[in-house]
Amino acid sequence: MELFGTNGVRGIANEFITPELAVNVAKSLGTYMGSKGTVAIGCDTRISGQMLKSAAIAGALATGLSVIDVGTVPTPSIQYYVRDYADAGIVITASHNPREYNGIKLIAGDGSEFPRDGEREIEKIYFSGKFSIVSWDKTGSFRFDPSVNDYYIKNIVRAVNVEAIRSRRFKVVVDTGCGAGSLTLPFLLRELGCEVLTLGAQPDGTFPWRNPEPTPDALTELSALVKKTGAAFGAAHDGDADRIVFMDENGEFVNEEVLLAMMTKYMLELEKGPVVTPVSSSQRMADVTKEAGVELYWTAVGSINVARKMMETGAVFGGEGNGGLIFPKHQYCRDGAMACAKILEILASGKKLSDLTKSVPVYFNAKTKTPSRDIVGTMGRIRYETSSMGLKTDTIDGVKIWYDDGWVLIRPSGTEPIFRIFAEAKKQERAEELMNQGLEMVLRSESA
């Protein structure tokens, strides 16, 4: 039985993600740590967050860990803090999932997401129910630190060319979706000398403005305001602000795969070195890294896999095609606010965001998803079918089928009982054809 998915433990609050679960995950972490050390615990803005954070604090204290309550924070903010001031971290968040969801993510002592082998060990402790509960006089110490977001903002400012950015006095529109980024992104941009217009920047765990996932159809007001005000660009976070998406100066949504490739190109202009991305990313990444003469490493989907491979290979950049960009000189995790600051740094040279999007190869994408009654069995039948057909495949994560003019990836979600199908080609019609072929393969395997 597995507890952790692609990014932590997720489910509907008070149905699957209960206070009891949060207590026991925290007790499992404390047991894993030998009842020694300090853990920082925070949450995003979801209304169930304070309940679950309190439960996690109680579980950690019960095993003798010292606890720092960091309050309501973006995930990359607490990750940066853990790296410098704690031995581990717990963040209560369901990232981009709908408002009724919540989740628990563990943070390693270096600020990165907890390694997979560590998660497996914690799962064993969790399901065994054998926790290292200390005596009454050995329970951990507790304190609250309200400075975490300020510390995070200050260090992003230090990591970019602040003088060049401030000299341009950019006008930027941000939609933080009432999530945790409301407490950081507008303030960071003001520190960088920007005129900031905000949408949904009041923390509200009911997410009344839009769903936490910053999809193009949810950002029509952002697009309109960018065009109306003549802003340099618009930016929007997901619920915990580890990801970010952009609208260019014309109010056009910047495809996340294009964002990843153009940021890769910029980072390789600053420093040559390996790049890491998951198998779901665009062929653009292969083209950009080949042009720069550097190695590209593909990983399983999940920022934890990307970050760990980056550490292993000494990569200069990495990320996912969902707005999750990783800048290793800053920290080994997805960081939406850092990505926004880097976009400003690029634009400070006088370029427009729409021009940058045209600087990378053109591909077309299509994606869909379908529910599954039998993830393991269906995946096995798909692997058998593709193998027996002699197709060129990659099985790093699910099955990626390569064709001369494109590819399709079929993989089970790490957070829901569904299959996700991604396809890419030089023409939109071909991408949709490959996507439909992948969907048909899943439906055929489901009914077998």
Side-chain angles (χ1 to χ4, degrees):
M1 186 178 294
E2 290 188 352
L3 181 65
F4 293 95
T6 303
N7 285 107
V9 188
R10 290 188 199 172
I12 295 176
N14 256 5
E15 290 185 18
F16 178 69
I17 304 296
T18 61
E20 291 81 6
L21 183 143
V23 166
N24 287 335
V25 169
K27 288 195 293 189
S28 300
L29 175 64
T31 302
Y32 174 84
M33 294 174 65
S35 297
K36 297 176 181 177
T38 299
V39 59
I41 303 179
C43 63
D44 68 16
T45 60
R46 292 167 190 270
I47 57 176
S48 57
Q50 297 297 332
M51 169 186 76
L52 296 167
K53 176 164 69 78
S54 299
I57 289 171
L61 293 172
T63 61
L65 295 182
S66 297
V67 171
I68 304 172
D69 181 353
V70 298
T72 303
V73 291
T75 294
S77 180
I78 185 174
Q79 287 179 291
Y80 199 91
Y81 182 84
V82 166
R83 187 190 71 177
D84 292 349
Y85 294 108
D87 301 300
I90 300 174
V91 59
I92 307 299
T93 178
S95 187
H96 64 278
N97 287 122
R99 53 181 63 83
E100 66 270 21
Y101 281 73
N102 217 324
I104 303 170
K105 280 180 69 170
L106 302 182
I107 303 167
D110 60 3
S112 66
E113 293 175 65
F114 225 75
R116 295 296 190 201
D117 56 351
E119 286 183 340
R120 298 287 89 85
E121 288 301 313
I122 287 170
E123 277 183 349
K124 290 178 184 177
I125 297 167
Y126 176 89
F127 288 116
S128 76
K130 297 177 181 178
F131 307 120
S132 298
I133 304 301
V134 298
S135 61
W136 68 270
D137 57 334
K138 297 291 193 304
T139 54
S141 63
F142 173 85
R143 67 183 176 89
F144 178 69
D145 189 342
S147 70
V148 176
N149 289 333
D150 289 341
Y151 182 68
Y152 170 65
I153 291 169
K154 178 178 70 176
N155 282 284
I156 292 178
V157 172
R158 287 177 175 175
V160 295
N161 188 340
V162 65
E163 292 80 11
I165 296 171
R166 285 175 177 165
S167 70
R168 292 296 306 278
R169 299 184 179 276
F170 289 106
K171 180 186 291 183
V172 182
V173 184
V174 297
D175 178 350
T176 49
C178 302
S182 305
L183 303 172
T184 50
L185 186 60
F187 302 98
L188 167 66
L189 295 178
R190 290 191 181 105
E191 279 290 309
L192 293 172
C194 298
E195 177 185 347
V196 186
L197 306 176
T198 61
L199 292 168
Q202 75 281 10
D204 188 335
T206 65
F207 300 106
W209 177 248
R210 61 168 172 83
N211 282 328
E213 177 78 358
T215 55
D217 60 324
L219 302 175
T220 53
E221 290 87 354
L222 175 62
S223 173
L225 193 55
V226 168
K227 290 187 285 187
K228 184 175 182 178
T229 61
F233 62 85
H237 272 312
D238 63 338
D240 69 334
D242 63 345
R243 297 191 290 121
I244 196 165
V245 299
F246 295 93
M247 296 281 182
D248 69 17
E249 74 279 4
N250 302 311
E252 296 293 325
F253 184 80
V254 177
N255 180 292
E256 294 106 311
E257 295 287 355
V258 172
L259 170 66
L260 176 61
M262 72 186 201
M263 186 61 78
T264 301
K265 189 171 183 177
Y266 175 70
M267 296 302 292
L268 291 175
E269 289 172 358
L270 299 179
E271 181 183 3
K272 290 287 192 290
V275 173
V276 181
T277 199
V279 292
S280 56
S281 292
S282 171
Q283 180 66 21
R284 295 177 181 91
M285 293 295 285
D287 294 349
V288 167
T289 51
K290 182 179 180 181
E291 182 183 1
V294 302
E295 190 78 23
L296 175 65
Y297 292 93
W298 302 97
T299 72
V301 173
S303 55
I304 181 173
N305 300 313
V306 176
R308 293 285 156 185
K309 192 67 174 180
M310 289 177 69
M311 293 177 190
E312 176 190 322
T313 60
V316 300
F317 183 65
E320 303 173 296
N322 59 7
L325 309 183
I326 302 174
F327 302 87
K329 288 190 175 179
H330 176 58
Q331 60 175 339
Y332 280 99
C333 67
R334 299 184 301 194
D335 195 325
M338 182 64 189
C340 192
K342 275 293 182 184
I343 287 290
L344 287 167
E345 183 179 86
I346 299 171
L347 298 184
S349 67
K351 298 175 183 176
K352 293 182 178 179
L353 187 50
S354 62
D355 294 331
L356 295 175
T357 63
K358 298 169 186 173
S359 69
V360 296
V362 176
Y363 288 92
F364 295 90
N365 300 90
K367 61 182 178 180
T368 188
K369 59 186 178 181
T370 185
S372 175
R373 293 175 285 101
D374 179 16
I375 289 282
V376 175
T378 297
M379 194 72 254
R381 288 186 285 273
I382 291 170
R383 286 199 174 101
Y384 177 79
E385 179 178 344
T386 54
S387 175
S388 63
M389 292 171 66
L391 297 173
K392 180 184 177 183
T393 61
D394 188 325
T395 56
I396 292 173
D397 189 353
V399 174
K400 187 172 187 177
I401 308 168
W402 295 92
Y403 298 92
D404 291 339
D405 58 348
W407 55 264
V408 59
L409 171 67
I410 303 167
R411 63 174 294 273
S413 168
T415 57
E416 305 170 80
I418 63 173
F419 274 94
R420 300 187 187 277
I421 299 102
F422 307 83
E424 182 176 74
K426 279 289 188 180
K427 295 182 178 180
Q428 185 65 51
E429 296 81 5
R430 178 57 172 159
E432 291 173 3
E433 180 184 353
L434 290 172
M435 177 195 74
N436 287 326
Q437 287 179 10
L439 177 60
E440 289 167 7
M441 189 175 291
V442 173
L443 296 177
R444 188 164 57 246
S445 298
E446 275 281 320
S447 60

